[in-house]
């Protein structure tokens, strides 16, 4: 087996593939990159949760497959001089010779038989528009939990039926819901809890190939995505995802419309003094919102901005990071803060559309 490609083509393929290389695998093969040639050259990596299969733009002579140490292979490719690169399997020596100009490397191989098989696409795929999906992932996935103790919350619930795509994520302290109108209806309804990490990777693939179609295959426990010449597999998360509709209050006592960028900038500034789990305090009074924070041994900060609020004084506290994430997830010029009481969740929504909702649980304030 002999593969010839430019150094840039090789590095580009490796940089994508290596994102699925396991860093703490008990099985040595999972720390490697599977390189194969059989008419076309491909590179694969998996950590058993996420898998990437990338086509290498080059020429191949002969057929074969080998697994090479993933991180080392990337660093070697990065260090090579520009121009043509050759990878040739030397079966007798049990290594691969990498040649570029006067540079020559020999990398020991890892047994290819130990490398897991990549899932095969079966049946007709579901076609989804790439760019709108990427935008939705960016707005929703940040609300997914990073706590592996509750695996079901580390995913994003993806549903599509008719011409509506919905994505939902929650870490039990906040909830993000995004509805997207599709240009054409999906052939069959889908519902899957996809790990947020896999969706972030999918968003990167779509961003690098925005014109390529996105195709999805779903099985009971696996999802297979294909964007151009790159395929990505992901396990699906078992378990019952929370009924998010029950978490959204039906009505609110106050709805306050505010300029998004100004509120975001105020939140960022004041949040610098909301450290060590301190709350971002929002105090609403007639015609004004005061945003403040205090960390006792560091100091405090406050800033006021006009707000069309009417009624008695309302003070409510939130996690400052969650507020920033919610405001950053909205593109509209204005947002609406919907509130009930200091101990009930608040809702952040775009002022001119109803396709995105961001619910945040409050933090009890010390008077």
């Amino acid at each position: 087996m002999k593969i010839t490609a430019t150094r840039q083509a090789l590095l580009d393929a490796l940089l994508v593939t290596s994102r699925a290389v396991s860093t703490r695998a008990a099985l040595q093969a999972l720390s490697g990159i599977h390189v194969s040639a059989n008419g076309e050259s491909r590179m694969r990596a998996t950590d058993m949760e996420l898998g990437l299969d990338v086509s290498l733009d080059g020429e191949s002579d002969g057929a074969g497959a080998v697994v090479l140490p993933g991180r080392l292979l990337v660093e070697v490719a990065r260090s090579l001089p520009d121009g043509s690169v050759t990878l040739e399997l030397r079966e007798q020596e049990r290594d691969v010779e990498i040649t570029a100009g006067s540079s020559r490397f020999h990398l020991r191989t890892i047994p290819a038989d130990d490398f897991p098989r990549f899932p095969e696409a079966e049946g007709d795929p579901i076609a989804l528009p790439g760019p709108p999906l990427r935008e939705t992932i960016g707005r929703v996935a940040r609300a997914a939990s990073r706590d592996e103790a509750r695996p079901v919350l580390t995913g994003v619930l993806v549903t599509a039926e008719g011409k509506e795509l919905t994505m939902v994520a929650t870490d039990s302290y906040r909830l993000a819901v995004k509805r997207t109108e599709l240009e054409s209806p999906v052939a069959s309804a889908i519902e899957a809890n996809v790990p947020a990490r896999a969706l972030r990777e999918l968003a990167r693939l779509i961003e690098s190939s925005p014109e390529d179609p996105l195709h999805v295959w779903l099985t009971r426990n696996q999802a297979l995505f294909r964007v151009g010449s790159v395929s990505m597999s992901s396990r699906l998360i078992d378990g019952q995802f929370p009924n998010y509709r029950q978490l959204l209050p039906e009505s609110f006592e106050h709805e306050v419309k505010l300029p998004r960028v100004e509120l975001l900038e105020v939140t960022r500034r004041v949040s610098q003094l909301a450290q060590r789990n301190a709350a971002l305090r929002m105090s609403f009074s007639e015609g004004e919102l005061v945003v403040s924070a205090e960390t006792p041994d560091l100091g405090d900060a406050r800033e006021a901005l006009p707000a069309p609020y009417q009624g008695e004084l309302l003070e409510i506290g939130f996690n400052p990071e969650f507020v920033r994430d919610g405001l950053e997830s909205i593109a509209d010029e204005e947002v609406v803060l919907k509130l009930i009481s200091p101990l009930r969740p608040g809702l952040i929504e775009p002022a001119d559309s109803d396709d995105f909702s961001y619910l945040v649980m409050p933090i009890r304030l010390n008077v």
Side-chain angles (χ1 to χ4, degrees):
M1 180 186 76
K2 183 177 180 181
I3 297 172
T4 304
T6 65
R7 177 253 184 192
Q8 193 59 54
L10 174 64
L11 183 58
D12 288 346
L14 285 172
L15 288 176
V16 175
T17 311
S18 63
R19 297 201 287 262
V21 170
S22 177
T23 57
R24 54 181 191 275
L27 185 64
Q28 186 184 18
L30 298 184
S31 66
I33 291 177
H34 185 278
V35 182
S36 64
N38 188 9
E40 68 170 336
S41 304
R42 303 199 71 86
M43 295 188 167
R44 295 175 175 175
T46 181
D47 60 7
M48 300 304 291
E49 294 188 356
L50 175 72
L52 286 165
D53 180 338
V54 182
S55 174
L56 173 61
D57 185 12
E59 298 179 355
S60 62
D61 182 15
V66 67
V67 178
L68 295 171
R71 303 299 179 190
L72 180 59
L73 181 58
V74 172
E75 292 308 312
V76 168
R78 201 192 301 272
S79 70
L80 294 174
D82 288 334
S84 179
V85 179
T86 298
L87 289 80
E88 185 170 4
L89 173 62
R90 305 193 309 172
E91 293 188 8
Q92 296 277 340
E93 291 82 358
R94 296 182 180 179
D95 67 21
V96 167
E97 183 175 73
I98 303 174
T99 308
S102 60
S103 297
R104 193 177 304 274
F105 292 82
H106 295 110
L107 300 188
R108 303 293 179 213
T109 62
I110 299 170
D113 292 344
D114 294 339
F115 196 85
R117 292 186 60 185
F118 198 83
E120 296 290 335
E122 297 181 3
D124 295 329
I126 300 163
L128 292 175
L133 185 67
R134 180 181 65 82
E135 179 197 359
T136 300
I137 293 169
R139 298 171 72 175
V140 172
R142 62 179 69 191
S145 176
R146 292 175 173 81
D147 185 1
E148 293 295 335
R150 299 186 66 187
V152 72
L153 299 186
T154 63
V156 176
L157 182 66
V158 181
T159 61
E161 187 171 7
K163 297 182 69 174
E164 185 171 86
L165 170 71
T166 304
M167 285 193 178
V168 186
T170 180
D171 58 7
S172 76
Y173 300 104
R174 55 180 168 166
L175 169 75
V177 182
K178 175 68 171 71
R179 293 165 290 276
T180 303
E181 188 75 15
L182 303 177
E183 292 184 1
S184 56
V186 294
S188 57
I190 64 172
E191 179 173 311
N193 188 357
V194 186
R197 175 198 169 204
L199 288 179
R200 292 189 190 98
E201 183 57 47
L202 179 62
R204 294 174 72 174
L205 297 178
I206 294 171
E207 185 176 17
S208 62
S209 303
E211 303 301 323
D212 288 327
L214 167 65
H215 292 116
V216 184
W217 289 262
L218 290 177
T219 65
R220 188 179 62 83
N221 56 10
Q222 280 275 353
L224 180 64
F225 305 89
R226 184 168 294 160
V227 182
S229 61
V230 180
S231 294
M232 186 189 84
S233 67
S234 171
R235 67 173 181 86
L236 298 180
I237 300 174
D238 290 330
Q240 185 65 41
F241 196 87
N243 185 341
Y244 68 92
R245 294 181 180 86
Q246 292 182 349
L247 302 176
L248 294 168
E250 294 182 359
S251 62
F252 294 86
E253 295 294 324
H254 306 281
E255 296 189 11
V256 186
K257 184 182 292 187
L258 295 164
R260 184 189 71 87
V261 173
E262 184 178 356
L263 180 59
L264 178 58
E265 289 176 347
V266 170
T267 299
R268 285 173 174 163
R269 284 193 290 269
V270 174
S271 294
Q272 296 175 95
L273 271 297
Q275 299 185 26
R276 300 170 193 166
N277 299 320
L280 185 76
R281 183 188 295 256
M282 292 185 167
S283 302
F284 293 87
S285 58
E286 289 284 343
E288 185 179 63
L289 164 62
V290 176
V291 181
S292 62
E294 179 181 8
T295 303
D297 56 345
L298 293 179
D300 60 76
R302 71 188 304 275
E303 189 166 345
L305 63 158
Y309 177 86
Q310 294 180 333
E312 297 181 357
L313 176 68
L314 172 62
E315 288 192 317
I316 188 168
F318 294 111
N319 180 307
E321 178 188 349
F322 293 173
V323 175
R324 290 197 305 268
D325 281 351
L327 294 172
E328 289 172 355
S329 299
I330 295 174
D332 291 32
E333 292 184 0
E334 292 185 310
V335 295
V336 176
L337 300 185
K338 298 183 177 182
L339 305 168
I340 302 173
S341 72
L343 299 181
R344 296 290 301 279
L347 191 69
I348 305 175
E349 290 186 332
D352 298 323
S353 61
D354 60 355
D355 65 347
F356 181 74
S357 299
Y358 188 90
L359 190 76
V360 191
M361 296 297 293
I363 296 175
R364 185 182 293 272
L365 296 172
N366 296 321
V367 180

